[in-house]
């Protein structure tokens, strides 16, 4: 019935889900775990404030297709966009959004419109500032680089799954003096994003952003659960190293089932 | 729009499809495999239907900017001209076979894409130049490991000293690999947490601008 070679994955998925639900229940009872600060998220207020003080726009771009493994990164990009749009609606900062794919357009439009409506500044919402260029990688990269060069934004935020285009945006942002925040879970782009941005969200920080921004104890509970799961994985790695060194490949066989 | 339509229905669909796709991955049942394949095809079809939304958005926004003669409006006009030239020539006769479309694709689009990609070489150089300033211990470590890795992949490295590729490959295979695997494990756990939050309706990104609860 179960597919061979995936038993251990299923056991881990179930075990980690049970741990997460247990921590969520604890959080509901008022025992929410503490999570460390995420400087890149805290810096959003700073980059929006910078744009407001300088009277220049803020460019925001979301990356990642929605029908494959990149989707969680795109969802994080939308979650952070919601927060940024509320801030720009309050401060009157000109928010320019460059959706990476056509599938993002209705989502970002709705997020930004609702944020402006919620802040009572719907008249400041400009649909033409949602600037879609192309689904093609380098055509999109050219569009964003052109937008940075023309609009001279005070701040630039890019969150999502990025490839070669990431360095193009960020170096252009450096050239035009924009303060930037970058976020990705794509390991091959992390070094460049760390190098070229003022603040970075990388790896699992990306997926903690939603919980961090909401401050909701249940959401924060899911982050606390990942810490417990991390200790389990580290323990298994150490146990595996010791067993293999002793010539006992028991754990390897168990995990490859 | 009611909260039921705006929030609950999308979340129910997301939760059902997530659990279904998980079942398809773990359980060996032909019916699950077939339905899973169909659902993936729906995703492709939905994406294809959304592309015209992109075109409409682009046209609407660009026309608004051109009509108001806003700053840089000629760029927006040029963008529309190019887009419609490619669409019209691509649709004439056999799809994408018109000589003008093929000429534009092979002689303009391909070369512009290659040019954009090659610009990366300059960006990598300028970004590396900033990174390789040994201002503190961390930056010095980046500088040292970076020099070894660059000389490892460049043929001249082995000519200078045969030990360079050995050290460079050690940097790549041991500290670099360990760091990357740590990040990947963290990403996996983060995605699991995000998935659970999404199914439970606590992740705002999936419910598109939901009002504050």
């Amino acid at each position: 019935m179960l597919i061979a070679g995936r038993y251990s994955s299923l056991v881990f998925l179930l075990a980690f889900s049970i741990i997460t639900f247990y921590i969520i229940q604890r959080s509901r009872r008022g025992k929410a775990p503490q999570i460390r600060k995420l400087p890149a998220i805290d810096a959003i207020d700073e980059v929006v404030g910078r744009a407001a003080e300088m009277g220049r726009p803020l460019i925001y771009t979301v990356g990642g297709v929605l029908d494959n493994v990149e989707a969680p990164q795109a969802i994080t990009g939308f979650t952070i966009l919601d927060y940024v749009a509320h801030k720009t609606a309050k401060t009157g900062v000109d928010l320019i959004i460059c959706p990476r794919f056509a599938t993002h357009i209705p989502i970002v439009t709705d997020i930004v419109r609702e944020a402006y409506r919620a802040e009572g500044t719907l008249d400041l919402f400009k649909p033409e500032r949602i600037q879609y260029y192309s689904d093609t990688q380098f055509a999109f990269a050219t569009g964003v680089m052109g937008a940075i060069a023309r609009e001279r934004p005070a701040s630039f935020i890019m969150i999502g799954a990025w490839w070669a285009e990431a360095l193009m945006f960020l170096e252009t942002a450096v050239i035009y003096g924009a303060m930037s925040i970058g976020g990705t879970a794509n390991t091959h782009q992390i070094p460049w994003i760390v190098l070229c941005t003022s603040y970075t969200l990388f790896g699992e920080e990306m997926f903690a952003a939603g919980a961090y921004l909401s401050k909701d104890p249940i959401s924060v509970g899911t982050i606390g659960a990942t810490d417990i799961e991390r200790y389990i994985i580290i323990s298994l790695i150490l146990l595996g190293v010791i067993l293999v060194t002793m010539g006992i490949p028991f754990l390897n066989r168990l995990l490859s089932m | 729009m009611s909260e039921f339509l705006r929030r609950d229905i999308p979340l129910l669909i997301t939760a059902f499809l997530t659990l279904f796709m998980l079942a398809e991955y773990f359980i060996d049942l032909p019916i699950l495999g077939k339905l899973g394949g169909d659902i993936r095809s729906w995703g492709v079809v939905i994406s294809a239907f959304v592309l015209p939304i992109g075109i409409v958005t682009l046209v609407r926004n660009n026309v608004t900017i051109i009509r108001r003669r806003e700053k840089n409006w000629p760029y927006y006009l040029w963008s529309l001209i190019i887009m419609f030239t490619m669409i019209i020539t691509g649709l004439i006769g056999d799809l994408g076979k018109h000589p003008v479309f093929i000429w534009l694709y092979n002689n303009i689009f391909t070369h512009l894409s290659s040019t954009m990609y090659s610009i990366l070489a300059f960006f990598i150089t300028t970004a590396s130049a900033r990174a390789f300033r040994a201002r503190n211990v961390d930056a010095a470590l980046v500088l040292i490991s970076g020099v070894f890795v660059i000389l490892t992949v460049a043929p001249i490295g082995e000519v200078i000293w045969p030990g360079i590729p050995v050290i460079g490959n050690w940097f790549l295979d041991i500290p670099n690999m360990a760091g990357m695997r740590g990040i990947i494990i963290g990403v996996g756990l983060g995605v699991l947490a995000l998935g659970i939050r999404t199914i439970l309706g606590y992740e705002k990104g999936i419910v598109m601008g939901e009002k504050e609860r």
Side-chain angles (χ1 to χ4, degrees):
Chain A
M1 189 74 168
L2 290 174
I3 295 174
R6 294 179 185 174
Y7 299 144
S8 58
S9 303
L10 181 61
V11 169
F12 273 104
L13 180 69
L14 291 174
F16 287 176
S17 299
I18 290 166
I19 291 169
T20 306
F21 281 112
Y22 171 70
I23 300 293
I24 286 174
Q25 288 306 322
R26 270 176 60 95
S27 302
R28 277 194 173 133
R29 291 196 296 269
K31 294 176 183 171
Q34 293 290 316
I35 56 173
R36 69 176 171 82
K37 283 196 157 298
L38 293 177
I41 298 292
D42 294 336
I44 289 175
D45 292 356
E46 189 183 338
V47 296
V48 174
R50 184 176 196 260
E53 282 173 13
M54 295 174 80
R56 280 162 41 185
L58 184 156
I59 295 184
Y60 189 103
T61 179
V62 184
V65 288
L66 293 174
D67 55 1
N68 73 10
V69 75
E70 293 174 5
Q73 298 189 60
I75 290 171
T76 300
F78 299 141
T79 304
I80 297 174
L81 172 63
D82 181 66
Y83 182 76
V84 171
H86 275 88
K87 292 284 172 191
T88 56
K90 273 182 198 165
T91 53
V93 168
D94 182 13
L95 175 63
I96 300 170
I97 302 127
C98 303
R100 171 68 182 88
F101 294 103
T103 44
H104 294 180
I105 296 169
I107 303 173
V108 297
T109 306
D110 211 23
I111 286 172
V112 177
R113 190 194 294 118
E114 287 303 318
Y116 277 72
R117 182 175 288 144
E119 297 298 337
T121 52
L122 194 56
D123 54 315
L124 293 179
F125 170 64
K126 297 177 191 164
E128 67 271 18
R129 298 309 257 171
I130 295 168
Q131 297 182 354
Y132 167 74
Y133 297 110
S134 173
D135 272 24
T136 308
Q137 184 186 22
F138 291 120
F140 170 73
T142 313
V144 175
M145 289 164 71
I148 295 170
R150 286 190 303 275
E151 303 284 352
R152 308 286 170 101
S155 313
F156 176 69
I157 303 178
M158 51 178 287
I159 308 287
W162 301 111
W163 305 87
E165 69 274 16
L167 188 58
M168 295 178 173
F169 305 158
L170 292 172
E171 277 299 283
T172 311
V174 168
I175 289 167
Y176 288 97
M179 183 180 178
S180 52
I181 296 176
T184 193
N186 285 8
T187 49
H188 43 80
Q189 292 302 322
I190 288 172
W192 299 116
I193 293 182
V194 170
L195 199 59
C196 300
T197 53
S198 312
Y199 296 96
T200 312
L201 275 177
F202 70 90
E204 64 188 294
E205 289 179 346
M206 284 276 289
F207 308 109
Y212 187 82
L213 285 171
S214 73
K215 304 276 192 292
D216 173 69
I218 294 168
S219 297
V220 171
T222 63
I223 306 301
T226 62
D227 280 344
I228 296 171
E229 291 153 11
R230 192 188 333 274
Y231 292 131
I232 292 172
I233 290 174
I234 292 170
S235 307
L236 284 173
I237 290 171
L238 290 174
L239 183 64
V241 168
I242 292 166
L243 287 177
V244 167
T245 309
M246 291 167 68
I248 308 167
F250 165 73
L251 201 58
N252 296 36
R253 286 203 201 113
L254 194 69
L255 294 180
S256 59
M257 280 175 71
Chain B
M1 201 185 288
S2 72
E3 187 164 330
F4 178 70
L5 280 176
R6 181 175 191 85
R7 181 183 131 83
D8 296 347
I9 293 283
L11 284 177
L12 279 172
I13 293 171
T14 306
F16 172 74
L17 290 179
T18 305
L19 296 174
F20 182 86
M21 297 311 277
L22 279 174
E24 189 229 350
Y25 180 77
F26 287 113
I27 300 170
D28 185 17
L29 267 180
I31 183 75
L32 288 181
K34 188 186 174 307
L35 280 173
D38 287 346
I39 290 170
R40 277 187 286 274
S41 302
W42 297 349
V44 175
V45 172
I46 290 168
S47 301
F49 269 105
V50 173
L51 193 59
I53 295 178
I55 296 171
V56 169
T57 306
L58 199 147
V59 171
R60 193 188 59 199
N61 292 350
N62 286 18
V63 167
T64 305
I65 290 165
I66 294 162
R67 210 179 48 230
R68 291 181 191 158
R69 295 287 190 274
E70 287 186 12
K71 197 173 87 175
N72 300 315
W73 68 268
Y75 291 115
Y76 295 89
L77 178 64
W78 182 242
S79 160
L80 287 182
I81 291 169
I82 291 297
M83 186 181 76
F84 281 110
T85 306
M86 292 300 283
I87 289 174
I88 292 164
T89 55
L91 292 175
I92 294 171
D94 290 340
L95 209 61
K97 296 281 168 57
H98 193 277
V100 175
F101 177 83
I102 292 172
W103 188 88
L104 286 170
Y105 190 89
N106 289 339
N107 294 290
I108 296 182
F109 177 80
T110 307
H111 293 293
L112 286 176
S113 292
S114 305
T115 306
M116 287 307 297
Y117 194 58
S118 58
I119 285 175
L120 267 181
F122 300 101
F123 285 155
I124 287 172
T125 309
T126 53
S128 302
R130 280 202 305 282
F132 287 176
R133 287 179 202 144
R135 287 166 298 193
N136 52 41
V137 176
D138 292 349
L141 288 173
V142 171
L143 172 63
I144 294 166
S145 56
V147 167
F148 273 105
V149 171
I150 287 170
L151 289 175
T152 297
V153 293
I156 197 170
E158 197 164 8
V159 176
I160 295 169
W161 178 46
I164 286 177
V166 178
I167 297 170
N169 283 324
W170 182 85
F171 276 124
L172 281 173
D173 295 341
I174 311 296
N176 173 66
M177 186 70 81
M180 287 299 176
R181 283 187 178 161
I183 291 171
I184 289 168
I185 289 170
V187 166
L189 294 174
V191 168
L192 178 67
L194 179 84
I196 290 174
R197 284 202 305 277
T198 301
I199 291 173
L200 295 177
Y202 286 97
E203 191 65 29
K204 287 184 77 179
I206 197 70
V207 284
M208 301 202 302
E210 179 206 356
K211 291 190 183 78
E212 299 293 338
R213 281 192 291 272

